Amino acid sequence: PASQQASVRGVRLRAATADPTVSVQRRPERCRMARQGLVLSHQHNLHSGRRIPARTMMLARSRSRVLASLASTRRAGSAAGARPRTSSSATSTAAWRPVAGHSRSARCEAGKADFRTKSPEDVSVMVAGGTGYIGRAVVKELVSRGYKTTVLAREKSGIGGAEGKAETVKRFEGTAVEFGDVTDTASLGAAMGKHSPDVFVCCLASRTGGKKDSWLIDYQATRNCMDEAIKAGASHFVLLSAICVQKPLLEFQHAKLKFEEELMASDEITHSIVRPTAFFKSLAGQVESVKKGGPYVYFGEGDLCACKPISERDLASFIVNCVSDESMVNKMLPIGGPGKAYTPREQADLLFGLMGEKPKYFPVPVSLMDGIIGIFEFFSRWFPNLEDTAEFGKIGKYYATESMLVYDPATGTYDADATPEYGEDTLESFFRNALEEGLEGQELGDQAVFK
């Protein structure tokens, strides 16, 4: 059938499908009912589509007890004077709210409704990671739309900590800047307490992807931001994640996923989780070497992976949409740039074509990377400092062999057509501009592979 629906005491749920464009959104919303102590364990935002795969049906059967609890809670909630609040948005789910009560969840829900009725200049938005590649673009976009924006920055920021306080304040002239340490809750809380943000935008990311750094930043620091944002009265949390976490093989992916799960489980703040594909700067590492006559390096035959890269400007626009667009609330949002998905070989062809030269390739066997990783893993048993080096090798292999597109775990394949597109900037225009004007602002820093 085109869709399958289950109705539980008037609450209709649509089953997810094999179509990778449709993601299963689960929002554990535990809204505590006043005087009843009842908990609505889960809300589902499931969309119709093509034929339902066996995997999805197994998930649906495993949730049968949740559905029974949902029906029971609704009956009890109605008896206690609770009522459902529905949204006109086709992608929204019904939310339960007590008619009267003073629970923390009820106050949070009221706050969520309030800030979206204000004009942008009255909405306070705080950004962590605002000095980074995407964070800078997000701050610029927020300011251009008139939001009351505050940047949370380290005292030493930028690539290699090259910028001090004075440089950071100058960079964000006209915007409030608070200096704090996201790994220190006291420092973080003091910075947030001065501004009481309505919305918190988190663009934090570990610099290298090393094991310790991943759990410190991608998980703990990001969790600190959520906890302190809730204490400061924030109603909505926008998280910049990554599309690659959908197939987790690396430490930073597991760290990001752990936080995503905890954010979705919170009943004290709503969320928008943005999972972008590759950034333009991620594909810029070989532009200079190719301009100087070098070959384009790729693994295998150059067709092991593909991506639909997105510019920092377009991604920033999409992220800022999450601040006020109710259709993006409590959603997992994979997003790519406009146009086709490019394999590494196609990226090479595009780059050489813009130069008017015949493509020159330098293929590298993936087995070579496997051998290097194996050596570092072996010696890390005696030399712990090599553990991160082995992890860096795994990261390199992952990006060389796994696509940055929507992944369907039921089929184990990536789907370019299913990967949503947004924006106007194309990879072709980026490469052309990089060849003509250089790569200022696109530096990879600690993330560089080709130097």
Side-chain angles (χ1 to χ4, degrees):
S3 66
Q4 177 163 328
Q5 299 178 350
S7 181
V8 182
R9 299 292 294 179
V11 180
R12 178 166 290 177
L13 306 175
R14 290 184 178 179
T17 75
D19 188 345
T21 60
V22 181
S23 59
V24 179
Q25 308 297 341
R26 291 176 293 157
R27 169 64 176 164
E29 279 285 5
R30 304 198 311 263
C31 297
R32 297 179 178 84
M33 300 299 178
R35 306 180 206 171
Q36 294 295 319
L38 299 173
V39 177
L40 181 58
S41 301
H42 290 271
Q43 292 179 345
H44 297 260
N45 181 24
L46 307 178
H47 303 271
S48 60
R50 298 196 295 269
R51 186 176 180 182
I52 301 172
R55 178 178 176 275
T56 302
M57 294 306 299
M58 290 175 65
L59 289 172
R61 285 194 293 271
S62 71
R63 295 182 188 128
S64 60
R65 287 183 297 177
V66 174
L67 297 179
S69 174
L70 181 73
S72 175
T73 302
R74 183 174 184 183
R75 288 195 297 270
S78 298
R83 60 177 179 174
R85 184 172 67 93
T86 59
S87 168
S88 59
S89 171
T91 58
S92 299
T93 57
W96 285 88
R97 183 181 179 187
V99 172
H102 304 285
S103 70
R104 187 170 188 176
S105 294
R107 292 197 304 273
C108 181
E109 184 66 28
K112 292 166 191 170
D114 287 345
F115 89 84
R116 290 193 179 90
T117 64
K118 301 176 185 177
S119 57
E121 60 267 23
D122 295 323
V123 177
S124 176
V125 182
M126 180 171 276
V127 182
T131 59
Y133 174 66
I134 300 301
R136 294 195 302 268
V138 169
V139 171
K140 183 177 180 180
E141 183 70 16
L142 284 166
V143 172
S144 72
R145 297 196 196 184
Y147 287 105
K148 187 164 58 177
T149 307
T150 303
V151 178
L152 180 63
R154 296 169 296 155
E155 293 187 2
K156 291 288 185 180
S157 60
I159 296 175
E163 292 186 358
K165 283 186 174 182
E167 291 85 358
T168 301
V169 170
K170 184 178 180 181
R171 176 187 289 277
F172 296 109
E173 188 173 356
T175 302
V177 178
E178 287 292 338
F179 293 97
D181 182 355
V182 291
T183 65
D184 182 347
T185 54
S187 171
L188 196 53
M192 286 197 203
K194 298 177 184 178
H195 299 274
S196 300
D198 297 297
V199 180
F200 194 92
V201 180
C202 185
C203 298
L204 295 177
S206 56
R207 287 191 168 274
T208 63
K211 291 187 175 182
K212 182 178 179 180
D213 193 36
S214 294
W215 286 101
L216 179 63
I217 303 300
D218 293 315
Y219 172 69
Q220 190 58 61
T222 310
R223 175 63 198 241
N224 291 345
C225 287
M226 182 187 79
D227 291 340
E228 296 305 319
I230 291 171
K231 291 178 185 177
S235 302
H236 190 57
F237 194 99
V238 181
L239 175 67
L240 173 61
S241 186
I243 201 167
C244 62
V245 301
Q246 62 192 334
K247 188 178 179 182
L249 301 176
L250 305 169
E251 206 72 26
F252 82 87
Q253 295 167 337
H254 290 292
K256 285 181 178 292
L257 278 175
K258 180 174 172 59
F259 175 72
E260 283 188 3
E261 291 167 0
E262 293 176 6
L263 175 60
M264 290 187 287
S266 174
D267 64 348
E268 297 177 295
I269 196 165
T270 58
H271 65 266
S272 298
I273 299 175
V274 180
R275 288 179 170 181
T277 59
F279 305 149
F280 279 177
K281 81 166 186 177
S282 302
L283 309 182
Q286 299 190 68
V287 171
E288 289 300 325
S289 64
V290 167
K291 281 177 64 176
K292 295 174 182 177
Y296 196 97
V297 181
Y298 54 64
F299 289 87
E301 298 299 319
D303 59 359
L304 295 175
C305 57
C307 65
K308 296 175 76 170
I310 186 168
S311 71
E312 67 271 28
R313 182 180 69 167
D314 287 339
L315 178 56
S317 175
F318 185 83
I319 289 171
V320 174
N321 288 348
C322 296
V323 171
S324 60
D325 190 338
E326 290 192 65
S327 70
M328 303 172 86
V329 174
N330 295 340
K331 299 289 175 61
M332 190 76 72
L333 301 164
I335 192 67
K340 63 167 289 180
Y342 287 88
T343 65
R345 188 181 180 99
E346 289 171 330
Q347 293 168 33
D349 291 342
L350 177 61
L351 188 56
F352 280 105
L354 290 170
M355 294 171 59
E357 298 182 9
K358 183 180 178 180
K360 292 183 289 186
Y361 312 116
F362 189 90
V364 177
V366 176
S367 58
L368 177 63
M369 187 170 287
D370 288 333
I372 294 172
I373 294 170
I375 290 171
F376 282 121
E377 284 189 320
F378 177 79
F379 283 105
S380 67
R381 303 174 189 175
W382 298 278
F383 304 96
N385 59 315
L386 292 178
E387 188 175 46
D388 273 353
T389 306
E391 186 70 11
F392 301 153
K394 293 176 184 178
I395 293 172
K397 179 185 176 182
Y398 189 98
Y399 286 126
T401 57
E402 300 289 343
S403 292
M404 298 296 111
L405 300 168
V406 166
Y407 179 72
D408 182 0
T411 62
T413 58
Y414 293 97
D415 192 335
D417 293 334
T419 305
E421 299 178 4
Y422 181 85
E424 301 175 350
D425 300 333
T426 65
L427 181 61
E428 181 177 353
S429 64
F430 171 75
F431 275 166
R432 180 180 290 109
N433 186 71
L435 289 169
E436 294 174 356
E437 301 181 20
L439 289 166
E440 184 178 358
Q442 302 291 332
E443 298 85 1
L444 288 169
D446 294 331
Q447 299 166 331
V449 175
F450 299 98
K451 296 184 180 180

